[in-house]
Amino acid sequence: MGRSHLAFALDYPNLTEAERGAALVAPEVGVLKVGLELFIQEGHAAVRMARDLGTEVFLDLKLHDIEKTVERAVGTATQLGVKYLTLHCSGGPRMMEAAAARAQKENTGLVLLGVTVLTSLDASDLRAVGVESSPSDQALRLAQLAQASGLGGLVCSSEEVGRLRSELGPELVLVTPGIRPSGAELGDQKRVGSPGDAIAAGSSLLVVGRPIRDAADPRAAARAITSEISAALAGAQ
């Protein structure tokens, strides 16, 4: 039950290391996430590798460009067979609407995820770029815009996921990065939460990278997280 709610971030510099790491944990996770570093280095081969391991593929490129460019990129992503694709909500309604329309036209089941406020940012970071709202308020504002623009899901921290689930309803896929099991280092993340807390608050999919990748036994680390997810899901029923 917990496996389908866990995505492992393939934060590796090349395909060889990514394939080795992915093969170790694929039996314990439902989704493999290909991010910007790996995709720039390896391109479509990274997506094919993840797909060949029998999991769904999350292409995390955080698109943010003029609407026609993003719309065409969405079309390409559907041809790759990925399940999830990220774009920045701050790209605005026309960009998101064009992306959503292309995804609907292609009809492959692609779920577009709008990135609200990165988990590496806090209130002082937002003020530095001219946003006076709190991360929670800014995330809600962007989330509402994404929902109105036709996106099927959102990326938000564990600090906002409960509020977004309450405000936006049960249909949207809410993806939560910055997940840190008890005792794990924060790294460059500022707004983090535990697997159980995020699921209990309403998250649909948790993204975990370093706590699994850097563990002495990555498969066991992934299994422990899926067990915590399963317990949280059972408690919510």
Side-chain angles (χ1 to χ4, degrees):
M1 181 167 59
R3 179 176 179 266
S4 63
H5 296 271
L6 178 59
F8 175 48
L10 298 177
D11 295 332
Y12 297 94
N14 58 63
L15 190 63
T16 300
E17 292 186 38
E19 187 168 15
R20 185 183 303 120
L24 279 174
V25 304
E28 307 296 337
V29 305
V31 181
L32 291 171
K33 184 174 80 71
V34 176
L36 198 57
E37 177 187 14
L38 184 61
F39 192 76
I40 287 176
Q41 178 67 28
E42 304 290 353
H44 296 182
V47 174
R48 288 195 297 270
M49 177 273 293
R51 196 176 61 231
D52 288 347
L53 286 170
T55 69
E56 293 181 333
V57 181
F58 180 164
L59 187 55
D60 187 17
L61 301 184
K62 299 181 177 69
L63 303 175
H64 188 167
D65 211 315
I66 62 173
E67 58 192 85
K68 182 54 69 173
T69 297
V70 170
E71 183 260 332
R72 289 171 176 166
V74 169
T76 300
T78 63
Q79 296 169 23
L80 292 176
V82 303
K83 177 67 175 181
Y84 303 103
L85 176 68
T86 52
L87 61 160
H88 273 291
C89 297
S90 54
R94 287 189 298 175
M95 185 198 81
M96 289 190 284
E97 288 164 3
R102 182 60 181 269
Q104 183 175 23
K105 177 183 176 182
E106 298 294 340
N107 194 31
T108 63
L110 175 68
V111 179
L112 294 176
L113 302 172
V115 177
T116 54
V117 178
L118 295 172
T119 54
S120 59
L121 303 180
D122 59 17
S124 63
D125 296 314
L126 291 183
R127 286 195 297 272
V129 295
V131 177
E132 296 300 326
S133 301
S134 69
S136 178
D137 288 344
Q138 180 68 356
L140 178 59
R141 180 179 300 113
L142 292 172
Q144 290 170 329
L145 182 62
Q147 185 180 46
S149 300
L151 268 58
L154 298 160
V155 180
C156 56
S157 85
S158 59
E159 293 186 3
E160 292 96 45
V161 67
R163 184 182 184 189
L164 296 191
R165 180 61 76 199
S166 175
E167 294 278 354
L168 303 178
E171 298 302 321
L172 287 175
V173 175
L174 298 185
V175 177
T176 308
I179 295 298
R180 293 292 184 268
S182 179
E185 294 183 1
L186 298 185
D188 56 2
Q189 303 295 318
K190 295 179 179 178
R191 295 171 11 262
V192 303
S194 73
D197 287 345
I199 289 293
S203 183
S204 312
L205 181 68
L206 309 185
V207 178
V208 183
R210 281 166 287 188
I212 294 175
R213 184 196 67 189
D214 298 341
D217 185 340
R219 182 175 292 184
R223 189 181 304 119
I225 293 171
T226 59
S227 295
E228 185 174 343
I229 291 171
S230 294
L233 290 168
Q237 292 177 353

